Every structure is written in structure tokens, then in C-alpha cells.
Amino acid sequence: MMGRPRTPSRTRFAWFLAGRLRASRKRGQLLSFISWIALGGVALGVTALIVVIGVMTGMQNELREKILGSYPHILIQQEGNSLRLDDWERVVEVAEGVPGVVAAAPIGMTKVGLNRIDSDFVDIMDLYATDLTSSGPSVTPMEDSLRAGHIPIVRQPGGLPAVALGSGLANRLGVFPGDTVLVIVLESLRLGPNGDPDFRMEYWVASGIFSTGMYDFDMRNGYASLSDLQRLLQMEKGTASYVGLRVEDPWQAEAITGPVWEALGGWPYHVEAWTETNSQLFAALRLEKLGMALILSLIVLVAALNIAGTLAMVVVNRTREIGILKAMGLTRKDTLRAFMLHGSWIGFVGTAAGMTLGLTLAFLIERYGLIPIEPDIYFVDRLPVALSVWDIVWIASLSLLVPIAATIYPARQAASLEPVEAIRHG
């Protein structure tokens, strides 16, 4: 007994009809060409979004790594006009007992004038100091390098105090390792008998030159031992400028500031996470990334308009065929589905091609450093690329949803055609 012939599903029929809409004919070659232009527009927009957003994310990551390489995750300061933190040993002991805190250490910081002894030029430097005698874990990778002697700041017996200078600052002053420099204290200003400013100053030796890769940092920063800075500023032995903390997860630093502040007893202490200290910088980067995403999304929008225009021309060009099919039983739902599948096919293939090309370009740029840039300006020597799963998901979703949305109006126009009128005026 022969079975009944199987009726094709409505979805398969809609796909077949969508394929016929894509197929070119003598009168429809222009429509087919425009469809491929729309597909290429989607692919180009997705490629541009992938590469540019990857570069913006890579720059953010590089900047974050540079900052965390030199600055603690959390800074503890003491309120007041003296810019001093008294009894840092107790602060370190209390802070290390807070869950999530890995290390705590005193930090000295002041602004000084720096002069090469055979020059009349004086530059302003942020002089940081670290405790080289501590046996506990370091709070920054820079402190690791200082303690290990990779950047020498240990004062030689009978010699001058040592200071390590940023490469940009050393180049601007013309200072080389071993040169003697004059360090001029700019805080605690005193007046002489005649009312003239009396600056305290000492001769130090440039023991080394370091480069962090951050142009601004290397142009204005230097490092010395905490004991030398305390003596220079006439600070008490248990006094520092700040206490720096390192936490297990840098992104949770802001959440730990509250427990640290409470453990210290609140006022007069001020606890600030690195995300707060650099909030303006990262806010500017996020705004720039958002602006670039919006601008490049216009490429996908233009491609979507091309899809809408293509489908509208298909409706006009194939009005008679649509009318005949409707007279033969094609439903409004089938027509709507076929046209939306046609536009969705353009969006899907364009998105897949754009994602493939964009991810390939991003990988090649990052892996082989294809785009070198000036490190003195951009703090990196090549264009970094980093993509998160979230970036890929929202780009793919945008490039799929926008073309699909663009098909709604022309698909509804095709579905609303009356068979008799379509055949008569097609």
C-alpha cells in the first residue's frame, strides 16, 4: 500500500521561495547585485566593529596593566594639611588583617626640583619612596624591581643618596647613571632673614634609569628609598606619605576600601581604590569606545537600509509573480516569512563573513604586531587588540538584529498585495 506523498513544510517552502528571490534573472540582475552590496556592507561594518572595538579594549587593558604596575590597588592617606601618615606600622598591621588584602607597605611621595649640577635648568619631579628593609610581599611590580635591585636605589656606604629617574625625565635633563644631581625640596617652604625663600637641597646620585612604558609617568617620576626621603624631608621614622595595599582581585579593590576604613577606625583616614584615582581617565576611554562603536554601527545601519531598499525593489519587480503565487494558495504568512528569510540570509551571511574577517585581522594584528605606533605618545610600541566574549556577542547581535528589522516593512508590503491587483498591475 502506497503511502500518501509527504507535503513539504511551510518553512522549507519559505526557504525555497526566499532562494528564488535571491536568484538573478535577466531583469533582476541589478537586484541581485544590490543584495550582494548590502551583504558586503554588513560584512564590512562587522569587520570594522570587531577590529576597532578590539583595539580600544586592548588599549584599555594595556593602560590598566601599566597603571597597576606602578600604583597600589588601594591608597590609605591621613586627612590634614601635612600630607603625612603617622604610625604607618600600625596602619599596615591593621590593613593586612582585612580579608582580601594581600600586602601593605608604606609609601613616601613628594614633589622636588631636580637639577643636573652643570646645568641651569630645573625640572619638577614626583619623587616616590619605598621601604627596602621590609621582608613582606610587595604592593606593586615596581616595588618588586626596586627590592630585587633591578632598579638600583640602594645608597652605597659613604656615598650620596640614590635616586632612579624615569627615562623621559633623564633624557630631558641629560642625566646618565652615575651623574650627580641637585634635589630641591619644594614642601615645607621656609623664609630666610630677608624674607627670601629658603629651599632645602641636597646632592644625590642618579643610580639608574627606568622605563615603565607610560610616557607621562617616565617624564615626571623618580624613586628613592624611604629612609633617604624621610631624612630629606625631616620626617619621623614611623611617618610616611601613604600606605599602599595590594588585593587579590584588583577589580574588587573598591569594595574592600570600606572594610579597610572601618578597620582603621574611620576618620582621619581616607581610603581610595585605584579605580577611583583614575576614574576620569577610564571614563574618557569608555566614552571614546562608545563613540567609536556608535559611529561604526552606522555602516551596519546603511547596509540594513540597502537590504530594505533591495526588498522593496523585489516587491515592485516581482509583483506579478507574487500575485500568481497568492492566487495559487500562497498565504500572507508564507509571503512575510519568505521575504524576512531573504533579508535575514543577507544579515546572517554578512555577519558570519564579517566576524571571520574581523577576528582574523584582530588575531594577525595582535600576534604579529602589524601596526607599529610611537611609544613615546601612546605608551605602547604596537597596536594592541583584545576582544571579550561580551564584545563579540553584542556586535554579532547588532549585525543580525538590524538587518532583520530592516526587512519588516518591505515584507509586510509584499504580504499585503492582493492577488488580482498584483497580477493586473504587475
Side-chain angles (χ1 to χ4, degrees):
M1 182 177 179
M2 295 181 61
R4 296 178 58 187
R6 188 171 59 179
T7 303
S9 67
R10 312 300 293 185
T11 303
R12 290 181 59 189
F13 177 71
W15 271 112
F16 171 78
L17 185 57
R20 296 302 299 170
L21 292 174
R22 291 194 299 271
S24 63
R25 58 177 183 169
K26 187 173 182 179
R27 286 195 307 158
Q29 288 181 354
L30 178 61
L31 296 179
S32 179
F33 178 67
I34 295 176
S35 296
W36 284 106
I37 290 179
L39 189 151
V42 174
L44 179 62
V46 173
T47 301
L49 275 171
I50 287 288
V51 174
V52 172
I53 296 302
V55 169
M56 297 298 297
T57 304
M59 293 292 280
Q60 284 184 343
N61 293 345
E62 287 285 341
L63 181 59
R64 185 184 69 243
E65 293 301 321
K66 298 290 186 184
I67 290 175
L68 292 179
S70 303
Y71 291 100
H73 298 160
I74 295 176
L75 279 179
I76 302 175
Q77 307 172 53
Q78 185 173 323
E79 303 285 357
N81 297 325
S82 64
L83 301 178
R84 299 284 188 268
L85 188 147
D86 302 323
D87 193 17
W88 62 259
E89 293 94 341
R90 186 192 72 85
V91 175
V92 167
E93 182 180 356
V94 172
E96 287 180 334
V98 176
V101 176
V102 176
I107 298 173
M109 187 272 174
T110 187
K111 284 187 178 293
V112 298
L114 195 67
N115 165 253
R116 197 182 67 185
I117 58 174
D118 58 349
S119 171
D120 296 330
F121 178 71
V122 177
D123 207 344
I124 304 300
M125 176 180 70
D126 291 337
L127 181 60
Y128 290 87
T130 185
D131 184 14
L132 301 179
T133 63
S134 175
S135 58
S138 303
V139 296
T140 64
M142 175 63 76
E143 190 175 338
D144 281 328
S145 298
L146 294 171
R147 289 187 183 181
H150 301 310
I151 303 175
I153 57 172
V154 177
R155 183 174 183 175
Q156 300 298 322
L160 296 174
V163 57
L165 304 178
S167 56
L169 179 63
N171 290 335
R172 188 164 58 189
L173 289 171
V175 175
F176 296 91
D179 288 350
T180 301
V181 294
L182 183 64
V183 177
I184 306 167
V185 178
L186 299 180
E187 64 176 68
S188 303
L189 179 64
R190 295 173 299 180
L191 298 179
N194 298 325
D196 298 326
D198 183 17
F199 294 99
R200 189 166 61 255
M201 56 189 71
E202 285 186 359
Y203 287 111
W204 286 30
V205 61
S207 58
I209 296 174
F210 64 87
S211 177
T212 63
M214 291 184 64
Y215 179 75
D216 289 342
F217 193 94
D218 294 338
M219 284 295 291
R220 70 172 187 265
N221 286 8
Y223 280 94
S225 69
L226 183 59
S227 58
D228 285 336
L229 184 65
Q230 287 173 331
R231 183 189 49 76
L232 176 68
L233 301 180
Q234 298 178 348
M235 297 165 59
E236 298 293 334
K237 185 176 181 182
T239 303
S241 302
Y242 317 100
V243 165
L245 306 183
R246 178 161 60 92
V247 299
E248 294 177 356
D249 183 0
W251 293 107
Q252 296 299 319
E254 195 167 348
I256 298 177
T257 56
V260 170
W261 186 76
E262 293 175 358
L264 292 172
W267 192 88
Y269 297 104
H270 176 72
V271 184
E272 187 174 75
W274 70 277
T275 50
E276 299 176 71
T277 306
N278 301 278
S279 59
Q280 292 182 341
L281 175 60
F282 284 102
L285 289 174
R286 284 194 297 269
L287 181 61
E288 185 177 357
K289 182 177 179 180
L290 177 62
M292 294 297 295
L294 291 176
I295 292 172
L296 292 173
S297 296
L298 294 178
I299 301 177
V300 179
L301 180 60
V302 171
L305 294 177
N306 283 337
I307 295 174
T310 301
L311 293 180
M313 293 178 67
V314 169
V315 174
V316 174
N317 190 258
R318 300 196 174 183
T319 301
R320 182 183 298 273
E321 288 89 335
I322 296 172
I324 294 172
L325 288 173
K326 283 198 164 188
M328 296 173 61
L330 185 69
T331 66
R332 176 186 175 91
K333 187 175 181 181
D334 290 334
T335 308
L336 185 67
R337 183 181 298 171
F339 273 82
M340 291 197 69
L341 285 175
H342 175 45
S344 301
W345 177 86
I346 296 176
F348 178 79
V349 175
T351 299
M355 294 290 288
T356 302
L357 181 58
L359 291 174
T360 301
L361 282 176
F363 171 77
L364 293 176
I365 292 172
E366 173 64 20
R367 177 66 175 81
Y368 298 103
L370 299 181
I371 305 179
I373 57 179
E374 182 57 50
D376 289 345
I377 300 176
Y378 297 102
F379 64 82
V380 288
D381 58 357
R382 59 185 177 82
L383 208 60
V385 181
L387 283 166
S388 65
V389 175
W390 165 244
D391 288 333
I392 295 175
V393 168
W394 78 256
I395 291 173
S397 301
L398 174 70
S399 58
L400 286 173
L401 292 177
V402 171
I404 292 175
T407 65
I408 295 176
Y409 178 75
R412 293 183 64 181
Q413 290 296 107
S416 64
L417 290 175
E418 294 296 334
V420 176
E421 294 296 324
I423 294 173
R424 178 184 303 172
H425 301 291

